[in-house]
């Protein structure tokens, strides 16, 4: 099963800001509008992940396991 996550990325004075992830497009667009007040450039995009197959590791809860 595929799950779409909405990602908001921004740039400020040539530096990339930390991407923010949202479950709905409305939340992502609202955050992007807020970021536009201080950021030079804002992008709203989607990221598709397959449940149970993120980076080859099984999911526990909603977050993938991180390799150590």
């Amino acid at each position: 099963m595929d799950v779409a996550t909405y990602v908001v990325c921004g740039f400020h004075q040539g530096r990339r800001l930390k991407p923010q992830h949202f479950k709905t497009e409305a939340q992502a667009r609202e955050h992007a509008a807020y970021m536009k007040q201080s950021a030079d450039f804002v992008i709203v995009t989607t990221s598709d992940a397959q449940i149970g197959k993120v980076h080859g590791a099984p999911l526990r809860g909603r977050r993938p396991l991180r390799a150590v």
Side-chain angles (χ1 to χ4, degrees), residues 22-51:
F22 299 92
K23 289 184 180 183
T24 66
E25 183 178 359
Q27 290 173 330
R29 290 190 180 275
E30 183 178 338
H31 185 72
Y34 173 75
M35 281 182 66
K36 274 183 142 181
Q37 296 172 4
S38 61
D40 299 330
F41 189 74
V42 178
I43 299 171
V44 178
T45 187
T46 60
S47 172
D48 295 329
Q50 190 176 46
I51 291 179

Side-chain angles (χ1 to χ4, degrees), residues 6-35:
Y6 295 89
V7 183
V8 179
C9 300
F11 292 86
H12 181 65
Q13 296 179 351
R15 290 184 22 224
R16 190 180 100 190
L17 303 174
K18 183 179 176 183
Q20 300 291 318
H21 301 268
F22 299 92
K23 289 184 180 183
T24 66
E25 183 178 359
Q27 290 173 330
R29 290 190 180 275
E30 183 178 338
H31 185 72
Y34 173 75
M35 281 182 66

